[in-house]
Amino acid sequence: MRPRLAVAATSAALVLATSALAACSENTGENGDSDNGGGKQFTSSIATDPKDSQGPAAEVPGAKPGGTLKIIQEQDFEHLDPQRTYTFAGMSIQQMFVRTLTVFREDSNGNVLLVGDLATDAGKDVNKDCKTWEYTLKEGVKFEDGAPIKAADVAYGIARSFEESIDGGPTYIQEWLADNPTYNATYKGPYTSGTDTVPGLTVKDDRTLVFTFAKPHCDLPFALSLPTSVPVPKAQDTRTEYDRRVVSSGPYKIKEYVKDTRFVLERNPNWDPKTDPLRHAYPDGIEVEIGPNDTAATERALASQGADQFAVAWEEVPQALVNQVLGDSSLGERTLRKTAPSVWYLSINNDRIKDVKVRQAIAYAIDKQGILATQGGDAAGKLTHTLLADTTIGRTEYPNPYDGGPTGNPEKAKELLGGQKPKLVFMSRSTAFGQQTAPIVEQSLERAGFDVTVQYVEDHNPTARTRGNPYDIYLSNWAADWPSAVSTIPVLWDGRKLGPQGNSNVSYFNADDVNAEIDRVSNLPAGEAGPEWAKLDQMIMEKYVPVVPIYQDNAFLVTGAKVGGLIISEQFGIPVFYNSHIKQ
């Protein structure tokens, strides 16, 4: 499984213009559609009518209860503990057994609306300055054991996200509450600090939470759709073991979890669809089979025999099967394909590779087209040289400062190296993706004069996120948590956030002028920030080259013949299952 998985939203016009953002100015962004879906437009907005946050979700035409949905994937989930989850694969499956304060509700036509999930609405900006936000829980929301979900349970989940003894998970809310990139400098979480009281977060009563910030944070409704806001009953918190048995607040609960083998969900009888604006529970259960690689998973879904009729090949279609799948018109709705805002980078460990000319030489040398070709070529994505995906509000196309062409320019790289032959240790995944891409990286850099050693590792993501790791380069990817650069540039390139482990900034980049500009743009009204983030994108690449952007993803996968209602999320860019059903 890739860092955030290699797929996310359709490239189209994004509009974030709501009363919740009005105090920070209208926030809009428009991007040309490069999707193969014909240039359709979609909007992403925050619901202002509380009725939009009410359940039940509209019925899916033709869907009936029954059957078991099967998901086939190569690797296990990195985390299922909601406060530690930071992959789209984890978040997608979690939607079926946990709930957040807010949630993106989508349809197959690209319409995206942020609504209240556990909350009655998407949030109340109390003073119209984005500094104080109030959330009220719906009546009747319960955990799997029938206990009512209270504001204190949500607050406890957020408290856990501060805990320095567990890693992983997004850190927006923690940093905003602490008003400090080093968010656990003072409050270190309930285990270490011995208290559940989070600075800036008030439990007003059993159903009401209040967030108080030192600075405006108009994106809070978006950030609360992340699993940071999943409620956790304190008495059932098993700390690091919570990964194995999460307490359900959604339509399914965990029946069985055998690490690296299978993950099985069954119905949660205490989920009330009347409180849920997003989810259905059409299948009787959901079973994730862990192990088959992309080729095996795709072939089984295509063959659609036995239980595989009800299967989703969560791995993308491999290069060897791309033409077969594209050429088979009989597959119809069984083929799902979309442009995605997930960008793949060759991350350069700036703690180890300090010479900017060496980083520039890497950028000139890398064979981007070769890497993309291993994943299916144009069907898998498109080459890029910007830090931001083209779905990001305000993103602009600027000239590539290190344009080696699609297959690299080894002579230009050699010129920069000036006769040096730097040694590079490349950390690659041990998965099919890693086995396919590593030789291309190795060969293109060696043609340019580098001495490359490839090491394949099982725990790629945790290793990359550990500062002081012994690797110089590795392939990583990122997709914005919502369509604003707030969820990309400050997360990936603010060096003040670096810690010993759990880093999203896996290039270990830290520059004072970039940090100062992040602060400046972060404080701009939301409607003005987009173009300024784009300028910072260009400055980081031209001046520092902390990473080499390679390609922006496409989502491309197939299902068995009996799977209905599956959509690729505009938000996650991978399948989401809340409308899924088994065709009768």
Side-chain angles (χ1 to χ4, degrees):
M1 187 164 51
R2 308 172 189 177
R4 297 183 48 73
L5 262 175
V7 285
T10 299
S11 189
L14 296 170
V15 181
L16 303 165
T18 72
S19 62
L21 293 176
C24 291
S25 178
E26 184 177 70
N27 184 357
T28 65
E30 295 191 1
N31 297 294
D33 184 13
S34 61
D35 184 30
N36 34 48
K40 72 180 178 61
Q41 302 278 299
F42 73 85
T43 62
S44 174
S45 59
I46 300 177
T48 56
D49 186 345
K51 291 181 180 178
D52 288 322
S53 300
Q54 296 174 1
E59 292 295 327
V60 176
K64 296 180 180 179
T68 297
L69 178 70
K70 188 168 186 175
I71 300 166
I72 308 172
Q73 64 185 50
E74 183 173 3
Q75 286 191 303
D76 204 344
F77 302 99
E78 185 176 322
H79 289 295
L80 288 175
D81 179 333
Q83 277 74 40
R84 303 179 71 184
T85 300
Y86 211 7
T87 65
F88 281 155
M91 291 187 216
S92 174
I93 196 68
Q94 278 180 344
Q95 284 190 328
M96 303 311 292
F97 62 92
V98 294
R99 297 176 66 179
T100 45
L101 280 180
T102 63
V103 72
F104 283 95
R105 190 180 69 197
E106 311 180 31
D107 62 27
S108 58
N109 296 317
N111 298 305
V112 185
L113 185 67
L114 188 85
V115 300
D117 187 0
L118 288 174
T120 55
D121 53 35
K124 179 181 179 182
D125 178 10
V126 176
N127 299 314
K128 307 300 180 186
D129 60 2
C130 294
K131 291 184 178 181
T132 304
W133 292 86
E134 185 172 282
Y135 286 84
T136 301
L137 299 188
K138 295 170 181 173
E139 294 184 11
V141 289
K142 298 176 181 180
F143 288 114
E144 63 181 68
D145 61 2
I149 297 172
K150 298 182 179 180
D153 300 312
V154 177
Y156 183 74
I158 293 171
R160 291 180 84 246
S161 71
F162 280 80
E163 181 54 51
E164 60 183 4
S165 66
I166 57 175
D167 65 346
T171 61
Y172 304 102
I173 294 168
Q174 302 93 299
E175 292 173 25
W176 297 348
L177 287 169
D179 194 30
N180 189 343
T182 310
Y183 57 86
N184 56 9
T186 302
Y187 178 65
K188 301 180 184 299
Y191 317 150
T192 302
S193 292
T195 176
D196 308 341
T197 303
V198 178
L201 181 61
T202 303
V203 178
K204 189 174 177 181
D205 54 44
D206 280 352
R207 292 181 54 213
T208 311
L209 281 167
V210 179
F211 295 81
T212 305
F213 303 120
K215 299 184 182 74
H217 290 293
C218 300
D219 281 10
L220 180 67
F222 294 126
L224 289 172
S225 71
L226 297 172
T228 311
S229 72
V230 169
V232 176
K234 181 179 178 180
Q236 298 181 64
D237 180 8
T238 53
R239 302 193 177 193
T240 57
E241 290 301 309
Y242 201 65
D243 246 342
R244 305 300 179 96
R245 186 60 179 85
V246 178
V247 179
S248 170
S249 47
Y252 296 90
K253 62 181 180 177
I254 298 174
K255 177 181 180 181
E256 182 184 18
Y257 187 14
V258 180
K259 191 70 175 171
D260 298 319
T261 303
R262 63 182 174 275
F263 176 69
V264 182
L265 295 172
E266 62 182 352
R267 293 188 188 278
N268 170 16
N270 283 301
W271 169 73
D272 184 354
K274 294 179 182 178
T275 69
D276 198 323
L278 178 74
R279 301 163 185 83
H280 300 98
Y282 292 123
D284 294 328
I286 301 173
E287 178 180 338
V288 182
E289 178 185 348
I290 302 163
N293 64 18
D294 52 3
T295 300
T298 301
E299 287 178 338
R300 285 173 53 182
L302 288 171
S304 194
Q305 299 295 312
D308 291 341
Q309 298 176 78
F310 317 117
V312 178
W314 211 347
E315 306 295 334
E316 295 180 23
V317 176
Q319 180 190 25
L321 296 175
V322 165
N323 290 337
Q324 176 185 338
V325 174
L326 290 179
D328 189 347
S329 59
S330 69
L331 291 173
E333 294 179 353
R334 293 173 58 192
T335 301
L336 290 90
R337 188 178 175 203
K338 275 187 180 178
T339 301
S342 175
V343 177
W344 278 94
Y345 312 95
L346 182 68
S347 288
I348 305 171
N349 189 332
N350 286 224
D351 276 349
R352 294 171 59 88
I353 309 298
K354 298 181 182 296
D355 187 339
V356 70
K357 285 191 175 181
V358 174
R359 301 199 296 268
Q360 290 171 346
I362 293 171
Y364 273 113
I366 199 71
D367 180 359
K368 298 182 180 182
Q369 188 65 54
I371 293 171
L372 180 58
T374 67
Q375 302 306 299
D378 292 343
K382 57 185 178 182
L383 302 186
T384 188
H385 61 270
T386 64
L387 299 175
L388 297 172
D390 64 9
T391 52
T392 310
I393 293 167
R395 183 261 195 187
T396 58
E397 185 79 15
Y398 55 82
N400 186 350
Y402 311 104
D403 190 357
T407 59
N409 186 337
E411 297 308 315
K412 181 64 177 178
K414 288 177 181 177
E415 179 184 325
L416 283 164
L417 293 177
Q420 299 178 74
K421 195 174 178 66
K423 293 184 177 182
L424 297 175
V425 182
F426 174 45
M427 176 175 63
S428 177
R429 292 165 179 79
S430 58
T431 60
F433 174 85
Q435 299 286 343
Q436 294 157 358
T437 54
I440 307 300
V441 175
E442 179 184 19
Q443 292 162 17
S444 60
L445 292 175
E446 288 192 335
R447 282 197 300 268
F450 290 95
D451 181 359
V452 182
T453 300
V454 179
Q455 294 186 9
Y456 294 94
V457 300
E458 295 284 345
D459 55 346
H460 181 280
N461 296 350
T463 302
R465 292 203 288 255
T466 300
R467 194 167 195 180
N469 74 69
Y471 302 103
D472 299 305
I473 53 175
Y474 25 83
L475 286 169
S476 63
N477 80 318
W478 189 262
D481 295 298
W482 57 90
S484 157
V486 169
S487 60
T488 300
I489 288 181
V491 184
L492 298 187
W493 292 289
D494 186 340
R496 295 165 296 182
K497 299 179 181 181
L498 289 169
Q501 59 186 15
N503 295 292
S504 296
N505 178 356
V506 296
S507 60
Y508 299 97
F509 171 71
N510 187 15
D512 290 342
D513 55 349
V514 172
N515 296 340
E517 191 66 0
I518 286 172
D519 288 344
R520 183 187 74 82
V521 181
S522 293
N523 288 322
L524 289 176
E528 299 174 17
E532 297 303 304
W533 288 121
K535 292 177 185 176
L536 184 54
D537 175 341
Q538 184 172 358
M539 186 267 271
I540 292 171
M541 281 303 299
E542 289 181 347
K543 187 173 181 180
Y544 294 107
V545 208
V547 299
V548 184
I550 305 293
Y551 68 92
Q552 184 172 332
D553 255 312
N554 283 345
F556 185 29
L557 54 103
V558 294
T559 75
K562 295 293 187 179
V563 177
L566 191 71
I567 62 172
I568 294 179
S569 167
E570 306 287 356
Q571 176 63 11
F572 293 165
I574 62 174
V576 286
F577 304 102
Y578 44 78
N579 287 340
S580 294
H581 56 92
I582 301 302
K583 294 180 179 178
Q584 305 299 315

